């Protein structure tokens, strides 16, 4: 009944154990997993995992942390990948990270280029926004990516900005932080996001939800994220999980 819309299951310690983990995820009620690429070197692995496991879909893209080590020519390969691999359903994860990196102009150039590619293919984009809220919003508005789908991964902006994104048609994806006791804003965001615009994710193996904070995260824990949002919204876990799953299937065209 659950769709984890953001899990790096190509990373260790998950990757080497996927053969026995995938059946466990299914038993835990996980129907689908979206696996976003981070670096060019991982595209092949992402594609391979999506062909190996029914429940896994993928996204390819270059994360802002990886732009300096790549040549923009790698983006030319996206057309070909999409032609041959129908389970690649999005461009991601892409965006801006001003928390860890100073190369703002370079990041913006890559971000815009990848948004244009997504738009050309009518594919949704999975957005990483770390301490770059204003610029991410400005660029998304400029390129006008909303009609092909915008997913704000692990949304960390304000309630006001969430409302603007919702008005534009974007999806707000919430993860582990919404379960943290001291996380006021994500809980407020969870309250105001309409049921047809919310997504749930883990960002596995990072950002494990309460009470596993600091430990290895797993797609199975997306249930804890969904349960927290359900209780904030005053509805059942099943109702929230089903809506979030339908939203994900709609935006990824699954
Ligand atoms: Zn991620």
């Amino acid at each position: 009944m659950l769709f984890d819309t953001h899990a790096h299951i190509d990373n260790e310690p998950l990757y080497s154990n996927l053969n026995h983990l995938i059946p466990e995820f299914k038993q835990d009620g996980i129907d689908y997993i979206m696996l976003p690429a981070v670096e060019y070197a991982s595209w092949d692995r992402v594609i391979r995992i999506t062909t190996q496991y029914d429940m896994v879909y993928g996204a390819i893209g270059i994360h802002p942390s990886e732009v300096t080590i790549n040549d923009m020519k790698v983006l030319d390969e996206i057309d070909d990948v999409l032609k041959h691999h129908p389970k690649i359903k999005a461009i991601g994860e892409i965006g801006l990270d001003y928390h860890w990196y100073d190369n703002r102009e370079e990041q913006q150039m890559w971000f815009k280029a990848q948004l244009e590619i997504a738009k050309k293919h009518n594919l949704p984009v999975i957005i990483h926004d770390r301490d770059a809220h204003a610029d991410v919003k400005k660029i998304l508005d400029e390129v006008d990516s909303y009609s092909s789908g915008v997913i704000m991964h692990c949304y960390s902006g304000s309630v006001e900005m969430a409302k603007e994104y919702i008005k534009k048609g974007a999806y707000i994806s919430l993860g582990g932080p919404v379960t943290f006791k001291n996380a006021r804003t994500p809980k407020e965001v969870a309250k105001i996001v309409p049921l047809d615009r919310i997504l749930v994710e883990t960002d596995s193996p990072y950002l494990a939800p309460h009470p596993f904070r600091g430990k290895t995260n797993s797609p199975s824990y997306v249930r804890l994220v969904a349960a927290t949002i359900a209780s904030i919204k005053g509805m059942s876990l099943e109702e929230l999980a089903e809506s979030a799953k339908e939203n994900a299937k709609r935006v990824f065209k699954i």
Side-chain angles (χ1 to χ4, degrees):
M1 69 175 187
L2 288 149
F3 194 139
D4 183 354
T5 62
H6 200 105
H8 298 285
I9 56 173
D10 61 326
N11 287 14
E12 298 296 359
L14 301 171
Y15 178 58
S16 311
N17 299 304
L18 279 183
N19 272 334
H20 80 255
L21 285 174
I22 292 281
E24 273 183 34
F25 299 155
K26 285 186 185 160
Q27 265 175 14
D28 289 339
I30 313 303
D31 293 338
Y32 300 97
I33 293 171
M34 171 52 67
L35 161 56
V38 171
E39 48 175 352
Y40 174 67
S42 73
W43 288 5
D44 279 345
R45 188 151 67 169
V46 166
I47 292 162
R48 199 164 356 105
I49 295 170
T50 65
T51 54
Q52 215 170 339
Y53 303 105
D54 279 359
M55 75 190 305
V56 184
Y57 289 80
I60 53 165
I62 306 289
H63 189 281
S65 66
E66 303 298 320
V67 297
T68 43
I69 61 159
N70 285 289
D71 190 298
M72 279 191 97
K73 281 200 197 91
V74 302
L75 299 180
D76 297 342
E77 293 176 32
I78 292 179
D79 286 5
D80 201 49
V81 171
L82 294 173
K83 203 187 299 169
H84 293 101
H85 300 285
K87 287 186 80 188
I88 301 299
K89 295 291 192 188
I91 301 298
E93 60 180 285
I94 60 174
L96 302 175
D97 192 322
Y98 294 171
H99 183 81
W100 293 109
Y101 309 97
D102 287 333
N103 55 338
R104 296 187 176 198
E105 277 177 29
E106 190 183 21
Q107 289 186 40
Q108 289 170 17
M109 201 170 67
W110 279 81
F111 184 32
K112 281 181 200 163
Q114 294 182 91
L115 289 177
E116 294 289 359
I117 291 168
K119 199 174 172 180
K120 184 178 92 180
H121 289 281
N122 193 28
L123 284 177
V125 285
I126 300 170
I127 305 296
H128 173 101
D129 167 9
R130 185 95 194 258
D131 295 347
H133 305 320
D135 282 355
V136 166
K137 177 80 166 52
K138 195 178 90 191
I139 293 169
L140 283 169
D141 287 357
E142 267 168 25
V143 179
D144 194 12
S145 297
Y146 301 100
S147 63
S148 46
V150 168
I151 294 141
M152 300 307 296
H153 142 62
C154 197
Y155 180 76
S156 59
S158 66
V159 171
E160 283 319 303
M161 192 171 259
K163 286 179 180 165
E164 286 176 39
Y165 275 124
I166 291 159
K167 213 184 291 170
K168 294 267 186 187
Y171 290 80
I172 304 291
S173 187
L174 296 174
V178 78
T179 69
F180 299 163
K181 292 231 155 70
N182 56 355
R184 203 174 309 146
T185 310
K187 290 183 200 293
E188 283 170 20
V189 169
K191 202 179 291 175
I192 63 103
V193 180
L195 201 51
D196 64 350
R197 239 33 113 51
I198 200 149
L199 300 174
V200 290
E201 63 166 74
T202 59
D203 207 11
S204 297
Y206 318 105
L207 273 179
H210 177 78
F212 301 106
R213 194 171 180 177
K215 306 233 166 68
T216 298
N217 201 356
S218 151
S220 294
Y221 296 163
V222 79
R223 176 184 295 271
L224 299 168
V225 173
T228 301
I229 299 170
S231 84
I232 289 169
K233 287 187 159 312
M235 58 180 63
S236 70
L237 166 63
E238 288 72 18
E239 193 183 352
L240 188 281
E242 281 300 329
S243 299
K245 184 174 86 174
E246 288 312 313
N247 296 339
K249 288 174 72 176
R250 185 186 324 121
V251 70
F252 293 128
K253 302 188 194 84
I254 290 170

